[in-house]
Amino acid sequence: MTADQGGWDGPEPDRLYVITRGRSGPSGPGVFDLVTLIVSLAEPTPAMQPEHAAILRLCRSPLSVAEVSAYLELPTSVVTVLLADLLDDGRIEARAAVPAAELPDRALLEAVIHGLQRL
């Protein structure tokens, strides 16, 4: 069934099965979430699966898993399988997103402001 017939909207399920070689998730511990930043550590090779090569080209500058998924127009679950392959091969680096800065204690800020006002 095609998208215009009201069925599946996106890549055909058979294609997704082939891309992931039948795997439904990463084989190792889950290191990827939607905001994990991915950076290429290697260039694509001619023998590489096209989706792997596309990820390496895309991630020359850091991109989140969600962005990679959007650019490739593939479900995040498929992208995480592909990323796990590349991570296992040492071709990418996965970085945790930058955490939100911790704000100093309000009392400390007030003390600094009062100290500055007395100058």
Side-chain angles (χ1 to χ4, degrees), residues 65-103:
V65 172
E67 290 171 312
V68 173
S69 178
Y71 283 126
L72 294 179
E73 297 181 356
L74 290 172
T76 305
S77 59
V78 171
V79 170
T80 57
V81 170
L82 298 173
L83 291 172
D85 293 343
L86 293 170
L87 187 64
D88 289 345
D89 292 343
R91 296 182 180 274
I92 63 167
E93 179 179 68
R95 300 178 184 168
V98 178
E102 287 188 36
L103 297 176

Side-chain angles (χ1 to χ4, degrees), residues 1 8-9 12 14 16 28 34 39 44 54 58 61 68 70-71 79 84 86 91 94 101 113-114 116:
M1 198 179 266
W8 182 259
D9 186 25
E12 292 297 316
D14 293 346
L16 300 178
L34 292 177
V39 182
L58 279 171
S61 295
V68 173
Y71 283 126
V79 170
L86 293 170
R91 296 182 180 274
I113 290 171
H114 291 298
L116 289 172

Side-chain angles (χ1 to χ4, degrees), residues 21-50:
R21 289 181 251 147
R23 296 168 294 159
S24 62
S27 57
V31 296
F32 305 109
D33 58 22
L34 292 177
V35 295
T36 301
L37 296 176
I38 306 300
V39 182
S40 298
L41 299 176
E43 291 295 319
T45 62
M48 201 175 257
Q49 189 173 333

